[in-house]
Amino acid sequence: MSRPDGDRVLSSMPVGFMSVSADWVITHINPAAEQSLRLAASDLVGRDYWEAYPANLDNEFGRTYRATMIDRVVRTIESFYPEPLNRWYDVEAQPVDDGGLYFYFSDVTDRRVAQDRLALLDRVGAELAGTLDIRAAAARIPELVVPVLGHGALVTLLDEDGRPRSVGSWHVDPAARGAVERYAEVRLADLPADAPILRALRGGETVLLTAAEARASLPEGEARPLLASFGIGYGMTLPLRGHARVVGALTLMLPGTEPPEERHVATARQVADRIGLALDNARMYDQQRQLAEGLQRSLLTAPVQPPHAEIVVRYTPAAEAARVGGDWYDAFVQPSGRSVLVIGDVVGHDTEAAASMGQLRSLLRGIASYSDGSPAEVLRGLDGAMDQLRADTYATAAVASFEPADGDGAAPGAVRMRWSNAGHLPMLVIHPDGTLAELGEWQGDLMLGVDPGALRRDSEVRLAEGTTVLMFTDGLIERRTRDLDTGMARLRRIAGELADRPLAELCDEIIERMVDGRAEDDVALVAIRLRVRRD
């Protein structure tokens, strides 16, 4: 392409234009280029291009232009030019017949800033979504925002007593990261009342200071020379706002001698607000988790230990706070002397489900103790009570009772087990020789809370002394990546491998292997091992 003809055409072009000779002397720029490059034509024309723009000697702009000068192929590039421009440019480099180059370029900083802002907000949101460990999440933030928002970043959180604590820092220069981490620690000592970090934490104020002002705001000591060593131009501290309070502050170390543009400040505020909400959500999720877990643990009391059996119970809460819910177990003795084991799961995963669980567990225990009934009668009574009291919930449950199987040709030490299943998982039996069996159908009878007149059936089996029975909720065997059948097959395999272990060790090892260190749902488990009788 030949050079545009006439000064009128060049002057009216909306994009910047610059021409350089074969020996890299700037020969012409138009008014749009003067505005974009912030220099008059008289300051550029006649100068060596590399002397005028030294940063391009060893960056993508320079490499692209030299390649175009050599092979005479049109190229385009979009990249960032640092100080003194600090702008993004989209450039088309065209070789011309006289051996030089024409550059057609546009300032695309606004578009790139908007793209970077959206990308950063998405990245922050993705990194912090659903986090439960507040300190670990906050420690990742500085690395997420550098270098988009600044050359360095520090995050400070308020602890439970309202004291600021440094939780993370980062710097674009790896060699400076150790010093920045040290600065993050020492700057919080002996802070004056008007310190920028306190103004952000207590007053919710965004504080922008020059490097000199930032140093002057620090108390005498190690922090001042450390801050001076980073060579920043400005420091900006922004509050991290939660739903109704400030949870911390984000401090940015900004390069350059000019204050940040308002759009940069606006971007930083958006990011800080996103971080604050994510951290506050994590705090509330953790509180909800502790509340629900505490409620469950307060209700899931230690089991009775009958003379002729050992009973072990285990409860593992979900790793996600939102999935804490209504799993329960119970073990007690009826007036007749029968040992009773219960496993249940209220529909839902929240504190309401946990509260419903407590009600159903207490109702079932009371009905079983008063009626001295069989498992089916106990479940029928619970279903009726739920309807009468308008419990307005659904649950699955299985009840099993154990008593000596005297007479009828029973082997010495044998135990009669009766059970009834209201929509719950089948129980797993480990015989003394290590063989396994599942008791009951997958779904059993109708779940509780649907029809108080539903049929409830008892089933019966005789078990030899030394037999182990496992009752559990679906959190033990179900995963997002595997169904119940696959999970049950895995449980059978693991239980078979561990059949000879002591009961407590057996239960702990089963849970550890089945949940892979992270329970996706609550796990409740109750197990009984029938002891050798010495009557």
Side-chain angles (χ1 to χ4, degrees):
M1 180 182 294
S2 62
R3 173 174 170 170
D5 294 327
D7 290 340
R8 183 179 61 82
V9 175
L10 286 173
S11 297
S12 63
M13 288 176 59
V15 298
F17 171 81
M18 175 187 287
S19 62
V20 298
S21 64
D23 56 356
W24 296 101
V25 173
I26 299 173
T27 59
H28 194 93
I29 71 167
N30 71 344
E34 290 181 297
Q35 182 177 3
S36 181
L37 299 176
R38 302 178 182 178
L39 282 174
S42 58
D43 295 323
L44 288 172
V45 173
R47 292 179 64 183
D48 178 82
Y49 176 82
W50 304 110
E51 183 272 331
Y53 295 100
N56 285 353
L57 283 168
D58 190 28
N59 65 13
E60 284 300 308
F61 286 126
R63 287 188 285 273
T64 299
Y65 300 161
R66 284 191 292 269
T68 303
M69 185 72 84
I70 292 170
D71 62 21
R72 318 305 291 170
V73 175
V74 176
R75 285 181 171 82
T76 59
I77 180 176
E78 182 173 299
S79 191
F80 180 77
Y81 192 92
E83 291 282 356
L85 296 177
N86 288 316
R87 313 291 293 177
W88 284 87
Y89 294 95
D90 178 72
V91 185
E92 180 180 287
Q94 294 185 358
V96 291
D97 295 341
D98 63 5
L101 299 177
Y102 288 168
F103 301 138
Y104 297 88
F105 55 93
S106 300
D107 184 333
V108 294
T109 304
D110 289 345
R111 173 173 59 80
R112 286 302 299 251
V113 167
Q115 290 174 340
D116 288 345
R117 178 174 65 248
L118 291 174
L120 180 57
L121 288 170
D122 288 343
R123 189 161 65 249
V124 168
E127 285 285 336
L128 301 184
T131 185
L132 295 178
D133 189 335
I134 298 175
R135 289 184 66 88
R140 296 197 303 269
I141 291 167
E143 190 172 355
L144 294 178
V145 303
V146 171
V148 178
L149 295 185
H151 281 186
L154 306 91
V155 169
T156 306
L157 295 185
L158 291 172
D159 65 15
E160 293 181 356
D161 297 323
R163 293 173 296 187
R165 302 290 186 187
S166 175
V167 295
S169 63
W170 197 253
H171 197 275
V172 69
D173 180 5
R177 289 171 190 164
V180 172
E181 183 177 1
R182 177 61 181 167
Y183 169 73
E185 296 173 358
V186 300
R187 72 171 180 147
L188 297 179
D190 301 322
L191 287 172
D194 61 346
I197 185 71
L198 296 182
R199 290 162 61 186
L201 290 171
R202 295 173 181 172
E205 182 181 350
T206 296
V207 184
L208 179 65
L209 301 175
T210 65
E213 290 170 335
R215 289 194 297 273
S217 71
L218 295 168
E220 292 286 351
E222 186 180 359
R224 284 190 180 183
L226 277 173
L227 181 59
S229 70
F230 304 137
I232 68 170
Y234 281 81
M236 181 163 58
T237 301
L238 306 103
L240 301 178
R241 304 176 188 275
H243 294 279
R245 66 178 193 130
V246 174
V247 299
L250 171 66
T251 299
L252 301 173
M253 298 178 176
L254 308 178
T257 58
E258 295 295 322
E261 298 179 5
E262 180 54 37
R263 61 187 172 190
H264 184 96
V265 177
T267 297
R269 285 197 182 110
Q270 282 185 296
V271 172
D273 288 344
R274 178 72 61 90
I275 293 168
L277 286 174
L279 294 179
D280 203 28
N281 285 337
R283 177 186 62 84
M284 290 189 294
Y285 288 151
D286 188 54
Q287 289 177 341
Q288 179 187 16
R289 174 188 171 84
Q290 292 182 30
L291 174 63
E293 184 180 338
L295 173 62
Q296 286 181 298
R297 291 197 182 280
S298 69
L299 294 172
L300 301 179
T301 54
V304 298
Q305 294 295 338
H308 303 307
E310 177 188 7
I311 298 175
V312 168
V313 294
R314 294 290 184 266
Y315 170 72
T316 300
E320 300 176 26
R323 296 198 62 79
V324 174
D327 294 27
W328 93 87
Y329 62 76
D330 205 351
F332 53 88
V333 176
Q334 288 182 298
S336 61
R338 290 189 295 264
S339 299
V340 178
L341 266 59
V342 182
I343 195 76
D345 188 358
V346 174
V347 173
H349 296 94
D350 51 29
T351 52
E352 184 176 344
S356 296
M357 174 273 291
Q359 293 177 332
L360 298 191
R361 181 178 184 271
S362 298
L363 278 172
L364 188 149
R365 177 179 275 223
I367 290 167
S369 297
Y370 178 78
S371 69
D372 202 22
S374 72
E377 291 170 342
V378 170
L379 287 175
R380 188 180 304 113
L382 177 59
D383 215 3
M386 291 171 63
D387 180 64
Q388 179 68 27
L389 299 174
R390 299 182 180 179
D392 194 26
T393 191
Y394 303 97
T396 66
V399 179
S401 67
F402 301 83
E403 59 185 327
D406 298 325
D408 298 328
V415 170
R416 178 185 294 110
M417 172 183 169
R418 290 181 181 173
W419 77 92
S420 187
N421 187 338
H424 202 77
L425 300 172
M427 291 162 276
L428 186 63
V429 174
I430 308 175
H431 294 294
D433 62 0
T435 59
L436 283 78
E438 291 173 22
L439 294 181
E441 303 172 358
W442 267 97
Q443 296 301 323
D445 296 331
L446 188 65
M447 71 186 306
L448 301 167
V450 177
D451 178 6
L455 176 66
R456 302 291 174 199
R457 299 169 295 177
D458 280 319
S459 298
E460 183 176 315
V461 67
R462 292 183 181 183
L463 302 174
E465 54 191 17
T467 299
T468 299
V469 179
L470 301 178
M471 303 168 69
F472 45 88
T473 54
D474 56 5
L476 182 66
I477 64 174
E478 189 175 28
R479 287 290 175 279
R480 295 185 181 98
T481 56
R482 70 171 185 245
D483 57 23
L484 290 172
D485 288 324
T486 303
M488 181 62 84
R490 185 180 183 191
L491 174 60
R492 288 174 59 90
R493 183 175 67 256
I494 292 173
E497 295 172 359
L498 303 172
D500 60 346
R501 302 286 183 89
L503 187 59
E505 183 180 335
L506 169 72
C507 293
D508 290 337
E509 191 68 21
I510 283 176
I511 291 176
E512 177 65 27
R513 295 195 194 183
M514 290 296 296
V515 305
D516 300 320
R518 180 181 174 85
E520 293 181 2
D521 197 355
D522 289 0
V523 176
L525 181 150
V526 57
I528 186 170
R529 179 166 290 172
L530 307 176
R531 293 191 178 117
V532 176
R533 298 173 65 193
R534 302 299 184 189
D535 293 347

